[in-house]
Amino acid sequence: MLQAIRNNAQGVFVWIIVGLIVISFALFGLGSYLSGASKVVAASVNGVEISSTDLTRAYQNYQERLRNMFGEQYNPEMFATTQVKQEVLQGLITQEVMNQLLHKQGYKASSEQIFEKIKKYEAFQEGGVFSATRYKEVLSQQGMNGEAFENDLSRDIATQQIRSAIGSSAFITEKEKQVLAMLENQKRKIGYFDVSLKPYLKSVNVSDEEVKSYYEKNSHLYLSEEMVQIEYVELNMADVAARQEVTEEQIKQHYETSPESYMYSDDIAAKKKITELRNQIQQGADFASLAKEHSQDKGSAQQGGDLGYLTRGIEEKFDNVVFALKKGEISQVIKSKEGFQIIQVEDIRTGDPEERKVRHILLKAKNKLQPFADVKAAIRKELQYQEAGKVFFNDADQMNNLSYETPDSLAPVADALGLKLNTSTLMTRRGGTGLLANPKILKAAFSNEVLKEGRNSELLEISETHNVVLRVKEHKAASVLAFDKVKSRIKESLLQEKASIKAQEVTSDIFARLNNNESIDSVKKRYPETKWVDTGWIKRKTDKETKISVGLPDQLRQHAFEMPKPVTKTTSWDKVSLPAGNQAVIAVFKVENTNETNTANDNNRITQVLGNTDYNSFVQYQKSQADISVSQAAFEADTNQ
Amino acid sequence: MEVYNSEEEQVQAIKQWWKDNSVSLIAGIVIGVAVLAGYRYWTDYKHTQAQQASEIYSDILSSVKDKAKKAEILKTDYSATPYAALAGLIVAKDHVDKNNLEEAITQLKWVVDNSDSGIQHIAQLRLARLYLSQDNIEAADALVKGVKVEGFSAAYNEIRGDINLAKNLPVQAKENYRLALASLSPGDQRYPIIKMKLDDLAQANSLMAPNGNVSAEDKSK
């Protein structure tokens, strides 16, 4: 049978099959055959699945962003993992909903728009210009495929198009401006009874029994902080280096084989010599002959240091000296790139440019080898670090292995590597000082593995040249604080509570009386400990913006504008709680709409708000139209990560 | 399953089968290929259209000149793409800024008739606000009456409140604003604006002045 096919197959069959294969690849591409490993599903949107791998990746990216934002301060425990993951997942769902919308409605970025965007990424640029090679390199380094990346960009661009269409097309009509300006600039005439806590704190009492019984009922509120004492070994490049044996021989050998590292330029001798020459000239010696004898400027020495007529433009420092000298004068010793010089001006030709005939003597400083005794310590250190570099990574490896193999003790690590076993004091989650304040150390010390299971931590890389392994020596769980320690705190809070109840009673009574048309004066007499404040006209905006009614608590101002308006001859009264247990009873006497208009800024702000919220509504609407299901299991599985 | 006695017979059978079925098989393949090719051509055409529309739309966003002209091109030649509607929103805004409410209304009406439901709601809400700004209360009312959609419910309730206030029905307006706030979180940017409108309608002793304003205001005028 097979033989027959083989024979016949030369013809039609093969061509049909090959044809089919070719067509299917030509039409659908290779991509659709390569995807589709089984995965755990976190959510699905209209049947399209978001895998838990996608979720984990997005979550990690999010954490990475937080880490960049908070730097050293970052501690993953700051963010409740499950809640954050929920939010990240909602973000992914929104993205998927939008992607489907883009596809369905036919929103699409053009190739030019995509390319424009790619060109702007710094990562794809070389010397500020987009480079195609670099683009391919970066993508393959990131394990990304160009087509997928460009599709992502296309979606970003199209999403942004919708967003800006909705956002930037928001408007506010003239009539709406008037209405909002009228409300925002409304004035209200108010006053208030200030019922502060202070007078009542003096009038209330708390007995010792009350304090005691409160403590007994609520002891769970008064806990000491959990504390640990840790043991740790530290592997530090500097310590390793200090332990390295380097012999006198090795140091000497290093000194002799690479003397070029230990040369210095002997400025002192050169300067001394040229100063001497200058003195001789000033005492009458001939400049030219000294130059011939001593100058190290080979070009001019034979001519007695004569440089001929010069114009400006040799070197700034040299020019400055030459064109400041008088005819015949000899310069101070100057130091230039060439070496030490003295200069004499023999003749000046005024004109444009001015020319000066110059002689000079140049002495170059000699390079000298530093004496062995001076550099010995530095060479020793250098050699020690060279050796330590080889040892350190071996030691770190061994430290890692040993602490893992005997998880219940650090002694083997300390013994094997000759390290000191350190012990900290008891410390809270906030840590101690220096190394003990390092977030990596604290995170490890309070981790499940170390704290609950009593194991050695993994190797903690404090820096590239500083590793630590630790374990918990002692753990003091949070415990109820002794009564004596918290007595005064409890008494304080009970006093506050009682005073606050008193203040609330007074506030309620004042409110009731005023509401029943009792006069403000009569209330003032009845409660002399309170204070009536006649504020006058206020506006919604705060003091800083209006510069009126300074010192009015924000809550009070805000509440005054939420209160019902007074109707003819009626004052509108209400109670409001202020910070720190203080209370107030507010009166709104009058309301006036001003004819002030909003500024262009105000109107822009409102327009922007309308645009933003329209887009949010749009997204929310699209989500409500989609069939979304979230699998709870997907992120309960690994919340401990 | 038939049993063949020899390879010869098998070959014969295959040959026979080929004779009987070759025409329909080849026809099937040809039709299949044609359909697939047609589908490909059609999607390619749609992609090209979308990409061109996308480019024109970007031009409208980034430039000041010829915005309206380019929007017209999108409406006539690319009305199958969603970009025509987006351009309509933007041109409408420009008209509002120049206080040409009639023109803006024409644009938004077109968007309402020619967009998918999300953009449609946005256009419809804006259209209602324009009618209200022209004191065309009936037209505004007709657009938003009884509309209930998730995502846009605060916006619809707010405009219904504005309409009821214009009709001098402050009690109903209060209820509309209250419903609008109920569907927003207090952190929402729109919240304070609606809250301000609602608070302004509260009166002590729930006595309502006939026009919803207080006497103090009348004195100030």
Side-chain angles (χ1 to χ4, degrees), chain A residues 505-516:
Chain A
E505 281 166 14
V506 170
T507 307
S508 293
D509 191 49
I510 291 178
F511 171 67
R513 284 171 189 282
L514 293 167
N515 225 9
N516 281 327

Side-chain angles (χ1 to χ4, degrees), chain A residues 1 27 105 108 110 113 161 164-166 169-171 173 175-176 186 562 565 591 612-614 617 621, chain B residues 7 10 36 54-55 57-58 61 82-83 93 117 126 129 133 135 151 189-190 196 199-200 202 204 216:
Chain A
M1 159 79 199
L27 289 173
Q105 305 290 345
K108 208 163 174 42
S110 71
Q113 287 166 333
Q161 283 176 329
S164 54
I166 295 174
S169 66
F171 55 73
T173 66
K175 188 143 189 196
E176 288 169 330
Q186 189 176 73
E562 289 169 356
K565 294 175 180 175
V591 175
N612 290 345
T613 52
D614 274 352
S617 296
Y621 169 75
Chain B
E7 276 201 6
Q10 285 179 14
L36 280 170
S54 173
E55 288 267 326
Y57 168 74
S58 287
L61 267 192
Y83 291 103
K93 182 228 169 44
S117 53
R126 290 180 181 176
R129 282 171 48 211
S133 289
D135 294 319
Q189 291 179 312
R190 211 158 186 149
M196 192 166 71
D199 288 341
D200 195 58

Side-chain angles (χ1 to χ4, degrees), chain A residues 1 23 41 82 114 181 193 208 241 278 335 340 424 428 463 544 578 586 612 626 636:
Chain A
M1 159 79 199
I23 288 164
V41 177
T82 321
I114 296 171
F193 271 101
D208 287 352
R278 187 171 180 276
K335 193 183 177 199
F340 292 94
S424 78
T428 65
S463 73
K544 270 186 206 147
L578 300 177
I586 317 179
N612 290 345
E636 270 158 19

